[in-house]
């Protein structure tokens, strides 16, 4: 016995989907979703106005120079739990460069990518690195996507050996992108706090200098049968907040509306997608909702996305803000430690359930 058991259980080591897609005529059975759960590849069209917010019109201070823009943010969050952010201050050329190096990583030869594998010694799974999500059971439905997780903040938690040396500008670009995203997130969190009647620093202070930010580079290869698989199963993010740089050439992201219908998230060039995470739902005692979303694949085209997950320091506890709990609106979520919540996320992702349901009262 090796102790990890993976050698006796080869199903625990999932294939690289990029390699699979290059060779198969149809997705293997492990990827095929039960008939009743299969996605409609063409989602419903979002009604106008689409959730779009100009961040240059928002202020982190208590005054609001453009109340109309704040109203748009409120409406977007109420209807969808997410919005497309323009006026975020990143030049289109910089956004394009970040996208290019993300795509460039997946174009590297197999051996180069494998240097960053998330399987230690080819067997033991860890969150960080390149590969697939953890496989917990033989009958788990696998997602048609490869991914690469890297901790980008704080400095003390970065694993430098996992920062790619190829493409050559990858690491510098990601560092710069991380710093720019942090400013955007602080502005958005200040506005979200104001919207629910909290002090403007309430959420920002939850993401102190020990808070951990993960970057996840997703790669969805073309798929011969997009209506039978998920690029990414329905889920909500276990983060405080999430910022996504989406491919502006191929759609695929869908969000579930209050009516349970799946809507396509529209593509707006150079916009960033920002969504509420489970932690803000808990902290706001349910006033802000973490949206359930999924990704569908494309018959001909590959798609990439770069996702930044902002999470609290692992030992920090997550619970509704006392200011938002009273007799009329009792606490709706149990207290949990950040690290336990994140561990739960990976289990629930594998099972296709929701971590949030475990802490709901
Ligand atoms: O690829 C996308 O557009 C979204 C990815 C996502 O939801 C995630 O990585 O949690
Ligand atoms: Fe997500």
């Amino acid at each position: 016995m090796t102790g990890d058991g993976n050698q006796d259980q080869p199903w625990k080591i999932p294939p690289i989907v990029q390699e699979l897609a290059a060779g198969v005529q149809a997705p293997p059975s492990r990827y095929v979703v039960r008939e009743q759960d299969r996605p409609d590849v063409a989602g419903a069209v979002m009604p106008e106005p689409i959730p779009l917010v100009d961040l240059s019109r928002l202020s982190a201070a208590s005054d609001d120079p453009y109340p109309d823009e704040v109203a748009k943010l409120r409406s977007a969050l109420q209807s969808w739990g997410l919005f497309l952010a323009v006026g975020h201050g990143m030049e289109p050329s910089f956004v394009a460069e970040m996208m290019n190096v993300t795509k460039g990583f997946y174009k590297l030869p197999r051996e180069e990518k494998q240097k960053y594998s998330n399987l230690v010694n080819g067997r033991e799974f860890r969150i960080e690195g390149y590969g697939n999500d953890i496989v917990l059971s033989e009958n788990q439905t696998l997602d048609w996507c490869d991914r690469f997780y890297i901790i980008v903040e704080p400095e003390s938690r970065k694993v430098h050996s996992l920062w790619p040396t190829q493409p050559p500008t990858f690491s510098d670009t990601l560092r710069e992108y991380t710093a720019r995203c942090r400013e955007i997130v602080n502005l958005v969190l200040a506005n979200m706090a104001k919207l629910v009647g909290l002090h403007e620093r309430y959420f920002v202070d939850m993401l102190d200098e020990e808070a951990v930010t993960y970057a996840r580079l997703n790669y969805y290869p073309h798929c011969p049968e997009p209506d039978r698989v998920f690029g990414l199963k329905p889920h909500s993010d276990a983060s405080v907040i999430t910022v996504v740089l989406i491919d502006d050439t191929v759609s695929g992201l869908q969000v579930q509306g209050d009516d349970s219908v799946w809507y396509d998230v529209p593509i707006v060039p150079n916009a960033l997608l920002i969504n509420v995470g489970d932690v803000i739902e808990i902290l706001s005692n349910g006033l802000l909702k973490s949206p359930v979303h999924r990704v569908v694949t494309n018959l001909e085209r590959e798609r990439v996305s770069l996702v930044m997950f902002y999470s609290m320091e692992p030992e920090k506890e997550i619970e509704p803000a006392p200011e938002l709990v009273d007799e009329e609106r009792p606490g709706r979520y149990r207290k949990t430690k950040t690290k336990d919540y994140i561990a739960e996320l990976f289990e629930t992702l594998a099972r296709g359930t929701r971590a949030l349901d475990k802490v709901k009262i």
Side-chain angles (χ1 to χ4, degrees):
M1 283 296 288
T2 57
D4 60 74
N6 285 358
Q7 273 166 334
D8 313 326
Q9 296 172 303
W11 53 265
K12 283 197 171 175
I13 301 186
I16 293 292
V17 184
Q18 189 174 11
E19 293 169 13
L20 202 60
V24 298
Q25 300 294 317
S29 59
R30 296 179 78 188
Y31 295 84
V32 177
V33 178
R34 292 190 310 177
E35 206 157 337
Q36 62 268 38
D37 298 331
R38 289 184 193 163
D40 239 330
V41 174
V45 177
M46 269 189 181
E48 293 285 339
I50 61 162
L52 191 75
V53 178
D54 182 348
L55 297 186
S56 70
R57 291 173 161 242
L58 297 183
S59 150
S62 47
D63 63 313
D64 287 313
Y66 296 97
D68 287 358
E69 213 59 35
V70 178
K72 281 192 200 169
L73 177 68
R74 176 186 293 116
S75 156
L77 294 177
Q78 272 166 357
S79 309
W80 304 106
L82 55 74
F83 63 95
L84 291 152
V86 292
H88 49 62
M90 284 193 225
E91 308 73 28
S93 59
F94 178 68
V95 172
E97 170 66 3
M98 189 64 247
M99 202 59 185
N100 271 340
V101 292
T102 301
K103 289 184 177 161
F105 174 79
Y106 283 102
K107 288 200 189 106
L108 296 173
R110 172 178 213 278
E111 315 75 67
E112 189 62 31
K113 290 189 292 249
Q114 284 298 346
K115 288 185 188 164
Y116 310 99
S117 173
N118 63 357
L119 295 170
V120 184
N121 300 325
R123 328 190 269 274
E124 287 154 57
F125 177 85
R126 64 176 168 199
I127 291 177
E128 274 192 276
Y130 163 70
N132 290 90
D133 287 334
I134 191 165
V135 182
L136 293 173
S137 83
E138 212 163 347
N139 51 20
Q140 177 177 332
T141 309
L142 303 183
D143 290 334
W144 194 261
C145 110
D146 297 325
R147 50 74 149 190
F148 183 17
Y149 263 104
I150 328 176
I151 291 180
V152 292
E153 290 174 314
E155 203 55 43
S156 59
R157 285 188 195 264
K158 280 197 203 167
V159 181
H160 292 281
S161 58
L162 284 178
W163 281 66
T165 53
Q166 297 291 332
T169 54
F170 181 96
S171 290
D172 281 346
T173 311
L174 184 58
R175 253 190 295 278
E176 170 73 14
Y177 183 77
T178 301
R180 305 288 291 270
C181 277
R182 181 47 91 127
E183 290 169 25
I184 292 167
V185 158
N186 284 346
L187 175 66
V188 171
L189 287 178
N191 280 275
M192 285 182 176
K194 288 192 278 180
L195 279 180
V196 296
L198 289 170
H199 185 270
E200 62 245 31
R201 289 203 58 87
Y202 194 91
F203 297 143
V204 174
D205 287 344
M206 294 286 162
L207 293 181
D208 55 19
E209 57 285 357
E210 294 304 318
V212 185
T213 308
Y214 296 86
R216 174 174 163 140
L217 286 68
N218 292 311
Y219 180 80
Y220 309 93
H222 71 90
C223 178
E225 293 178 347
D227 47 356
R228 300 179 79 211
V229 307
F230 283 125
L232 214 51
K233 291 182 197 70
H235 68 281
S236 62
D237 297 342
S239 57
V240 173
I241 189 169
T242 304
V243 179
V244 192
L245 176 54
I246 14 185
D247 205 316
D248 59 11
T249 57
V250 194
S251 59
L253 178 61
Q254 300 182 341
V255 61
Q256 194 169 34
D258 282 339
D259 51 6
S260 297
V261 172
W262 289 96
Y263 291 87
D264 279 331
V265 173
I267 289 178
V268 173
N270 298 310
L272 295 171
L273 178 89
I274 300 186
N275 69 264
V276 171
D278 291 355
V279 178
I280 289 262
E281 176 166 335
I282 300 171
L283 298 175
S284 72
N285 200 22
L287 290 177
L288 295 169
K289 289 273 190 284
S290 167
V292 176
H293 52 286
R294 68 184 187 189
V295 177
V296 294
T297 58
N298 188 285
L299 184 62
E300 276 140 21
R301 310 199 46 193
E302 60 187 8
R303 176 176 180 274
V304 297
S305 60
L306 167 61
V307 187
M308 304 287 269
F309 295 110
Y310 290 82
S311 71
M312 300 194 319
E313 193 275 322
E315 297 297 327
K316 258 201 156 122
E317 295 195 308
I318 311 169
E319 62 181 328
E323 296 88 328
L324 300 179
V325 177
D326 58 27
E327 260 167 43
E328 258 168 53
R329 198 178 169 83
R332 298 185 172 186
Y333 308 85
R334 264 187 291 280
K335 191 196 276 195
T336 25
K337 229 178 220 179
T338 296
K339 66 176 183 194
D340 298 335
Y341 198 80
I342 291 180
E344 191 68 52
L345 167 82
F346 285 97
E347 302 256 325
T348 53
L349 267 187
R351 293 204 191 90
T353 56
R354 264 187 106 181
L356 201 57
D357 289 335
K358 293 251 174 144
V359 297
K360 271 192 185 149
I361 295 175

